[in-house]
Amino acid sequence: MNDTFLKACRGEQTDYTPIWMMRQAGRYLPEYQKVRSNVTFLELCKKPELCVEVTLQPIDLLGLDAAILFSDILILMEAMGAPLEFHDGKGPIFAETIKCQADLDKLIVPNPDETIGFVMETIRLLRNELKVPLIGFAGAPFTCATYLIEGGSSKVFWETKKMMFTNPTLFHNLMAKITDATILYLDAQARAGAQALQLFDSWAGILAPVDFETFALPYVQKIFSALQKYDIPLIYFANNGATLLDLSVTSGADVIGLDWRINIRDAIKKVGKKAVQGNIDPFALLLPKDELRARIGRLLNAAKDAHGHIFNLGHGIHQFTPPDQAKIAVDAVHELSSK
Ligand code: CP3
């Protein structure tokens, strides 16, 4: 068992810097496209054998140090009772958005083993196959709430902010319900065998620090505090979160994910005795080999005083990234960080 990733999460010495990539299973891999050509994305998410197959693809092809469960953050929202569709090229769509308390009352806090047992089944199957640790995940409540309120992806988040500022009670009630569901869900993932858990807060960066502190952070803290009993690393990734870093450090996570917009050396000073995960620009994978390796070497050097560094991209790998370039990055991290 390669436990380099888990050691780095705990701030222990490692022989080299471990690497995984957010969204490492997915469309940039022809092997994924092949599986996906026979099923819709949601069908794929609900078939454990196929989820296992696509989770393993990048591990075998690229030689990564951790696997992330193949699923989607919005699977839990669907289980809560929000009808979800994915349209190719358009992303997720929720036809019934949350506009008032009556809409919210229709959502349930599901028993994950009963409603989305396929996720836990995927985890159990993966643990039999994997020789690297398995990361489970969920969306952070704020990010999930934006999808339920906007009905899909958004650029300005008008409806979300309108609810926050004109009906904060409704907004907090929604956040509380998503939080309760997320705690049960991640608890079930941990019991099924997930060896680390990450909360993806893809849209936290649209918030002013004061609003992040009021409307988003308390719910992240509640989730992480409920999961402490498992003694597995907890990771918080707030995309576009450089201005929220002082607050994110109080989230209760053991590992702070960093996007590429922040200098990792500056971030490490703020994070103190916690591990950091990140943070090369996903588009830097397009650099010519020598330049990519040099850039990775500089990033490793800048992170050398971290209390644990897990190499990652600053956000998900882009769907048009050549897999060979991802492999160059993995090899470079391993070679250049070897002690
Ligand atoms: O990281 C992994 O390899 C595990 C799988 C994973 C997916 N989604 C698979 C996926 C994970 C961890 C996610 C998280 C997720 N999903 C987030 C947070 C991370 C982030 O990127 O900010 C968000 C916001 C979602 C919601 C979501 N799912 C969107 C907005 C989209 C469309 C995105 C796009 O690029 O079109 C998805 C679809 C999705 N989730 C795909 C995959 C592989 C593409 C589906 C396909 O067409 O095959």
Side-chain angles (χ1 to χ4, degrees):
M1 167 76 177
N2 168 358
D3 63 351
T4 310
F5 163 78
L6 294 175
K7 282 188 175 158
C9 288
R10 294 191 218 104
E12 294 167 12
Q13 283 295 323
T14 55
D15 297 336
Y16 62 89
T17 302
I19 170 171
W20 69 279
M21 296 186 194
M22 288 189 278
R23 304 286 288 267
Q24 64 194 19
R27 287 171 298 196
Y28 73 107
L29 290 176
E31 292 81 358
Y32 171 85
Q33 301 274 16
K34 194 163 170 239
V35 174
R36 179 66 172 75
S37 64
N38 302 311
V39 285
T40 67
F41 174 61
L42 275 179
E43 284 166 352
L44 171 53
C45 288
K46 294 172 187 178
K47 289 196 189 333
E49 291 76 17
L50 293 184
C51 289
V52 168
E53 185 178 344
V54 296
T55 301
L56 295 176
Q57 283 171 351
I59 311 300
D60 299 339
L61 290 162
L62 304 180
L64 297 152
D65 297 293
I68 182 160
L69 162 73
F70 187 85
S71 186
D72 196 87
I73 62 166
L74 301 176
I75 291 290
L76 179 62
M77 301 304 103
E78 186 181 49
M80 289 179 75
L84 170 63
E85 291 167 39
F86 276 92
H87 296 281
D88 282 339
K90 271 210 218 141
I93 307 222
F94 288 104
E96 296 169 27
T97 56
I98 305 296
K99 297 175 287 302
C100 60
Q101 185 64 42
D103 296 333
L104 175 54
D105 289 342
K106 285 192 225 147
L107 295 186
I108 59 160
V109 175
N111 175 329
D113 291 303
E114 283 165 14
T115 51
I116 41 178
F118 49 83
V119 174
M120 275 48 79
E121 179 62 11
T122 302
I123 292 174
R124 284 188 287 270
L125 292 170
L126 277 167
R127 284 299 308 276
N128 291 331
E129 303 270 336
L130 280 166
K131 298 195 174 48
V132 296
L134 176 62
I135 304 167
F137 71 89
F142 179 73
T143 290
C144 293
T146 66
Y147 284 97
L148 293 179
I149 299 169
E150 304 289 338
S153 303
S154 176
K155 285 205 170 76
V156 285
F157 299 91
W158 167 259
E159 298 295 340
T160 305
K161 291 198 175 179
K162 189 172 83 178
M163 190 189 292
M164 278 168 50
F165 294 126
T166 65
N167 195 347
T169 305
L170 177 60
F171 189 84
H172 280 294
N173 289 347
L174 172 60
M175 291 292 285
K177 204 164 201 174
I178 297 173
T179 299
D180 290 345
T182 304
I183 289 171
L184 294 182
Y185 184 41
L186 290 178
D187 193 279
Q189 291 189 28
R191 282 187 282 106
Q195 291 155 291
L197 294 168
Q198 172 157 327
L199 277 182
F200 283 91
D201 219 345
S202 308
W203 300 116
I206 67 160
L207 292 173
V210 64
D211 295 319
F212 177 71
E213 198 173 5
T214 309
F215 291 102
L217 180 63
Y219 301 96
V220 174
Q221 288 169 331
K222 188 172 177 196
I223 293 169
F224 283 143
S225 129
L227 297 165
Q228 290 297 337
K229 61 179 178 191
Y230 287 108
D231 201 27
I232 59 178
L234 305 173
I235 312 170
Y236 180 57
F237 173 69
N239 183 37
N240 228 328
T243 50
L244 306 172
L245 194 54
D246 296 318
L247 293 166
S248 295
V249 168
T250 70
S251 64
D254 307 291
V255 183
I256 302 294
L258 304 169
D259 72 37
W260 69 92
R261 299 167 184 91
I262 190 166
N263 179 310
I264 200 164
R265 207 187 298 268
D266 297 339
I268 288 163
K269 282 188 203 128
K270 291 196 177 184
V271 165
K273 283 218 171 314
K274 283 181 189 292
V276 289
Q277 175 173 280
N279 73 339
I280 196 167
D281 185 335
F283 287 84
L285 292 181
L286 301 177
L287 283 167
K289 183 174 180 178
D290 291 348
E291 284 175 50
L292 176 54
R293 285 178 63 92
R295 192 174 171 128
I296 286 171
R298 287 196 297 275
L299 208 163
L300 288 166
N301 188 44
K304 68 179 186 318
D305 293 331
H307 191 75
H309 176 212
I310 300 103
F311 203 101
N312 206 314
L313 311 179
H315 201 178
I317 187 166
H318 191 273
Q319 66 164 311
F320 300 123
T321 310
D324 290 350
Q325 292 291 114
K327 176 78 177 134
I328 290 171
V330 175
D331 291 346
V333 170
H334 286 157
E335 282 169 39
L336 299 173
S337 66
S338 282
K339 315 243 151 65

